[in-house]
Amino acid sequence: MKNYEKYQRQYFMPPKATYDWVKKDYLDKPPIWCSVDLRDGNQALIEPMSLEEKLEFFTMLVKLGFKEIEIGFPAASETEFEFARTLIERNMIPDDVTVQVLTQAREHIIKRTFEAVKGAPKAIIHLYNSTSVAQREQVFKKNKEDIKQIAIDGAKLLDKLAKETSGNFLFEYSPESFPGTEVDYAVEVCNAVLDVWKPTKKNKAIINIPTTVEIAMPHVFATQVEYIHKNLKYRDAVTLSLHPHNDRGSGISDAELGCLAGADRIEGTLFGNGERTGNVDIVTLALNMYSHGVNPGLDFGNINEIGETYERLTRMRIFERQPYAGQLVFTAFSGSHQDAISKGFTWHEAGKDNGIWSVPYLPIDPKDLGREYDGDVIRINSQSGKGGVSYILKTNYGMMVPREMQTDISYTIKDVSDREHAELAPGRIYQIFEDKYVHNDSVFRVVDCHFKQVNGILAEVTIAHAGKEHVIEANGNGRLDAVSNAFKLYFNVSYELSVYEEHALSRGSSSKAVTYVGITCAGKKFWGVGIDEDIIKSSINALTIAVNQLEEVKASTDAKDERISAILNYIQENYLSVTLDDLSKEFYLSKPYLSKYIKEKSGMTFGENVKKIRLKKASILLKNGNMKVERVAEAAGYQNVEHFNRLFKKKYGMTPVQYRSNSR
């Protein structure tokens, strides 16, 4: 930008700058709050509020805890005048609430203002006139003494009319356009006004310093305020007030640093509504204090309702990123942020923070503002990570997904969000989760399952596959292992059952169990989830879903040959002594045909099938017992221990003794 040279700093540093305020690093008490929504805020609306809307807004401000409320500029219009009269005549002003009205330092306006607040239980008459160099030279064409005299004359008229008018009145003065005013001159004018009013500790006056148009950095304003604080007359009898605007985006900083510098009171609006860039946002100011453990004296415990009322009455919109109040201010889409927040919640809920809020990325607990964690904090799109998705599943549906499974779910959800170019609501996330991990049994399903105590556990599993039901028998070291072996036998697949976790979905005797099963095939994990009141059924369902996702299984569209299933079942049941002669007699087939048939249908020779079953039996015994290796070899069908050791090491990459040690 090339025209920067036509601008220069137009603020004034005080004659003697002190920086005591810099030594303070926090506010330990709230200021006196004065809402100017119904005056400064209302005049900035494209369509100012109607009488009934202003009455509703006033009622809301009272409910929020405001004790001082500026209700308008009664001399500016009949609507403003009528509003003041309506509040008074309908007795709508609580005993502990003081209304405030604004007036220029002009006689006819001051008189009209007193007419508007006649009979008020307690009212502040807010007098102002402009004091800046630009206004003195360009607008009023008056010198400093003339401008000061306008303020003095206005102050005298307020004092006179207050004595003549029924009601209880306090006085406030503002050197309007203060940012462009010499600081010592502003103090001179304020002190001249105070000399007229002669305030006391029991009957205080308010001196209000407005950043009518913000033109300096916040530390400059704080230094100016500190000079005023130290040089005002009647200081113990004066409430020093600030009215920050936000032209430079520093309204909040002006207010906070100004309070450190000695201010007692803040005038502002809900959500920062006001002329141009707005007034200071009281919601943000108050909640900043709240986040430091200071009670602000205002109740924003239902921020959504407050925001909805504000938007409806003002026709203004609260920006999604507006501090504390915006719809997205507590929202984390980033995966790493979601993971940190989720862990922080767990830490907090476990009481490890001793009740002191310290959840990462969240300066205050959203629940303190009536916000919900699931809808407001962790929201899911293509940028989200495993922590966020897992948190949604846990808090909304009670699913405590295993850590190893979280990455797989995250990629599944992110892929859908990416393809749909959309944020995914909790209900949609759970639907995707169910479709892939709970109900994904499109290739086969288990119709029935029975167990016997035979060489460990013998499972008789009925599978519905390719339009037919098939019964497969298999042994295992437990029920789930036996069912898993039946699946391997039927589909001729190889995988390891690598993850098993379970938990109750809900409390009570009728609660359902949730089981998570992860299987590893060719270095890749596949997952299934089972939900049932019976833990065994839940486990089998989870395993079924996981196996349904194997590529070999998905490619198996034809029903298995019933004969090969029967032959393999027979081999498994008689693995210690079975021979081709036995099979030939049992199935009325020649040995050459059997050899070829078994190799073709199972992918392994008869001898390889026998060896696989025997070594599997040996591994089960090693895992779950203390039998000597010699006895294990014998139980698996091997009389020669050295031969057994060689076969076992070739299959599992370690000796039987090493295998037993690693399994415990």
Side-chain angles (χ1 to χ4, degrees):
M1 296 178 68
K2 53 190 177 182
N3 292 326
Y4 65 92
E5 291 181 342
K6 74 178 185 181
Y7 299 99
Q8 65 178 12
R9 295 179 294 278
Q10 297 186 37
Y11 61 82
F12 296 88
M13 289 294 288
K16 183 180 179 182
T18 58
Y19 297 96
D20 292 340
W21 63 270
V22 178
K23 301 170 187 175
K24 305 172 187 176
D25 64 322
Y26 64 93
L27 298 170
D28 57 5
K29 63 179 180 179
I32 299 166
W33 302 109
C34 178
S35 162
V36 295
D37 289 271
L38 295 169
R39 196 278 302 169
D40 204 344
N42 186 60
Q43 78 182 35
L45 299 177
I46 297 172
E47 181 185 343
M49 288 181 275
S50 67
L51 175 62
E52 292 304 318
E53 287 171 335
K54 291 184 79 172
L55 291 172
E56 183 180 349
F57 205 112
F58 178 85
T59 302
M60 177 176 69
L61 292 172
V62 170
K63 184 179 178 182
L64 294 178
F66 284 96
K67 301 304 179 186
E68 296 184 3
I69 302 171
E70 188 168 81
I71 59 173
F73 194 143
S77 72
E78 283 303 311
T79 302
E80 298 281 283
F81 187 92
E82 182 186 3
F83 176 52
R85 294 310 310 157
T86 300
L87 288 174
I88 295 167
E89 291 166 8
R90 292 187 186 178
N91 295 316
M92 293 182 65
I93 306 170
D95 293 339
D96 62 344
V97 173
T98 302
V99 294
Q100 177 172 305
V101 287
L102 185 68
T103 178
Q104 289 177 321
R106 299 170 66 184
E107 183 176 353
H108 70 285
I109 293 177
I110 293 173
K111 288 181 176 179
R112 181 66 169 164
T113 301
F114 271 95
E115 291 173 13
V117 294
K118 183 179 180 180
K122 198 173 183 182
I124 297 169
I125 312 299
H126 182 183
L127 175 75
Y128 78 92
N129 69 302
S130 191
T131 58
S132 69
V133 174
Q135 294 264 14
R136 294 194 316 253
E137 293 177 349
Q138 299 173 35
V139 180
F140 299 107
K141 296 180 172 56
K142 293 182 181 292
N143 61 32
K144 288 183 176 180
E145 286 301 317
D146 293 334
I147 294 296
K148 182 170 68 173
Q149 193 60 47
I150 292 173
I152 292 170
D153 291 343
K156 288 179 178 178
L157 186 55
L158 255 64
D159 190 50
K160 176 178 181 294
L161 293 176
K163 294 172 182 175
E164 298 173 355
T165 307
S166 62
N168 184 7
F169 304 111
L170 303 173
F171 299 146
E172 175 177 350
Y173 173 72
S174 289
E176 200 221 355
S177 63
F178 167 80
T181 303
E182 304 90 336
V183 182
D184 53 341
Y185 173 64
V187 171
E188 181 184 332
V189 175
C190 290
N191 281 336
V193 169
L194 291 173
D195 281 336
V196 173
W197 291 338
K198 293 182 171 52
T200 64
K201 288 184 180 181
K202 289 185 178 181
N203 189 28
K204 288 188 174 184
I206 300 169
I207 292 297
N208 183 61
I209 306 302
T211 56
T212 309
V213 177
E214 192 179 41
I215 59 173
M217 295 173 70
H219 77 287
V220 171
F221 182 65
T223 305
Q224 294 170 330
V225 171
E226 188 168 74
Y227 180 86
I228 296 168
H229 162 62
K230 291 180 176 180
N231 289 277
L232 274 180
K233 289 185 176 180
Y234 312 94
R235 186 63 186 91
D236 290 344
V238 172
T239 298
L240 181 56
S241 175
L242 305 179
H243 183 115
H245 277 250
N246 200 42
D247 300 87
R248 288 173 56 90
S250 305
I252 296 293
S253 301
D254 282 350
E256 291 181 330
L257 300 189
C259 285
L260 290 179
D264 311 301
R265 181 178 185 266
I266 294 291
E267 295 186 348
T269 58
L270 298 182
F271 312 113
N273 181 35
E275 296 278 22
R276 301 178 311 282
T277 57
N279 290 278
V280 70
D281 177 358
I282 287 182
V283 174
T284 299
L285 267 178
L287 293 177
N288 281 354
M289 294 180 190
Y290 185 79
S291 73
H292 281 182
V294 176
N295 183 354
L298 297 173
D299 184 3
F300 297 119
N302 193 341
I303 200 69
N304 287 343
E305 181 181 324
I306 297 166
E308 288 165 6
T309 303
Y310 165 84
E311 290 187 329
R312 174 172 54 83
L313 296 178
T314 64
R315 269 78 66 180
M316 296 289 288
R317 176 173 160 260
I318 298 172
F319 177 51
E320 288 82 356
R321 302 292 182 185
Q322 178 107 351
Y324 302 108
Q327 287 301 307
L328 297 178
V329 297
F330 292 112
T331 299
F333 288 111
S334 161
S336 61
H337 290 202
Q338 290 177 344
D339 184 58
I341 291 170
S342 179
K343 289 172 180 173
F345 281 150
T346 301
W347 183 272
H348 178 70
E349 289 163 3
K352 293 183 179 180
D353 55 10
N354 297 316
I356 302 300
W357 182 259
S358 61
V359 174
Y361 298 108
L362 300 180
I364 68 174
D365 186 345
K367 284 193 173 181
D368 289 348
L369 304 184
R371 306 285 289 267
E372 294 298 326
Y373 294 150
D374 57 348
D376 289 313
V377 180
I378 294 181
R379 291 166 62 171
I380 307 302
N381 64 12
S382 60
Q383 303 302 307
S384 303
K386 62 182 181 180
V389 174
S390 301
Y391 180 80
I392 292 292
L393 292 172
K394 178 183 176 182
T395 56
N396 289 269
Y397 304 102
M399 310 298 290
M400 291 181 281
V401 177
R403 180 173 294 277
E404 288 185 69
M405 186 183 180
Q406 291 176 8
T407 300
D408 192 80
I409 295 174
S410 171
Y411 281 119
T412 298
I413 299 300
K414 283 164 55 169
D415 182 60
V416 174
S417 177
D418 202 32
R419 282 188 282 108
E420 296 182 359
H421 302 288
E423 177 188 349
L424 302 180
R428 178 79 171 105
I429 291 168
Y430 189 69
Q431 178 195 349
I432 297 166
F433 174 78
E434 274 195 324
D435 288 347
K436 180 172 181 180
Y437 302 104
V438 182
H439 300 312
N440 189 11
D441 56 358
S442 57
V443 179
F444 78 97
R445 60 188 175 84
V446 174
V447 177
D448 202 2
C449 201
H450 298 284
F451 302 97
K452 295 177 184 177
Q453 194 81 31
V454 180
N455 291 325
I457 298 294
L458 176 67
E460 183 182 277
V461 185
T462 303
I463 292 176
H465 175 240
K468 294 182 180 180
E469 292 188 358
H470 314 271
V471 179
I472 308 99
E473 291 184 343
N475 281 93
N477 63 345
R479 288 180 169 86
L480 192 62
D481 187 54
V483 173
S484 179
N485 289 334
F487 291 166
K488 292 175 181 178
L489 188 65
Y490 179 77
F491 289 105
N492 190 29
V493 293
S494 179
Y495 61 82
E496 291 295 324
L497 204 162
S498 51
V499 179
Y500 178 92
E501 289 190 24
E502 62 184 52
H503 66 78
L505 187 60
S506 57
R507 295 179 181 177
S509 58
S510 62
S511 66
K512 292 184 177 181
V514 182
T515 305
Y516 308 89
V517 167
I519 62 174
T520 304
C521 180
K524 185 178 179 182
K525 273 196 171 66
F526 300 86
W527 297 92
V529 178
I531 304 174
D532 198 277
E533 292 178 4
D534 185 311
I535 188 64
I536 301 301
K537 288 183 180 179
S538 173
S539 302
I540 293 171
N541 291 343
L543 177 63
T544 301
I545 300 302
V547 174
N548 261 275
Q549 296 176 57
L550 297 178
E551 294 303 323
E552 297 95 323
V553 173
K554 288 194 281 188
S556 178
T557 55
D558 297 328
K560 291 291 181 183
D561 190 321
E562 297 285 355
R563 179 179 286 171
I564 188 62
S565 296
I567 290 171
L568 293 176
N569 277 338
Y570 186 86
I571 294 172
Q572 179 161 288
E573 290 171 9
N574 302 279
Y575 69 93
L576 282 173
S577 59
V578 67
T579 64
L580 275 173
D581 287 326
D582 297 332
L583 289 176
S584 179
K585 292 176 183 177
E586 179 71 20
F587 294 98
Y588 306 102
L589 298 169
S590 69
K591 289 195 292 182
Y593 179 82
L594 269 170
S595 294
K596 181 180 178 183
Y597 179 75
I598 291 171
K599 173 69 173 175
E600 181 183 302
K601 295 295 183 180
S602 72
M604 292 185 289
T605 65
F606 165 74
E608 288 170 339
N609 272 292
V610 173
K611 183 171 66 174
K612 176 183 175 183
I613 293 168
R614 287 179 175 182
L615 292 177
K616 175 67 175 177
K617 176 65 176 177
S619 71
I620 293 169
L621 293 173
L622 288 166
K623 271 186 183 179
N624 299 291
N626 294 306
M627 293 172 62
K628 292 183 177 180
V629 173
E630 292 82 357
R631 293 287 308 279
V632 171
E634 185 180 340
Y638 297 101
Q639 299 303 318
N640 187 310
V641 178
E642 288 76 14
H643 178 58
F644 167 68
N645 282 337
R646 285 195 301 272
L647 291 176
F648 194 92
K649 187 173 183 179
K650 186 176 181 181
K651 168 71 174 175
Y652 292 102
M654 62 185 77
T655 66
V657 173
Q658 291 170 332
Y659 184 85
R660 172 180 280 160
S661 299
N662 288 349
S663 300
R664 297 181 177 177

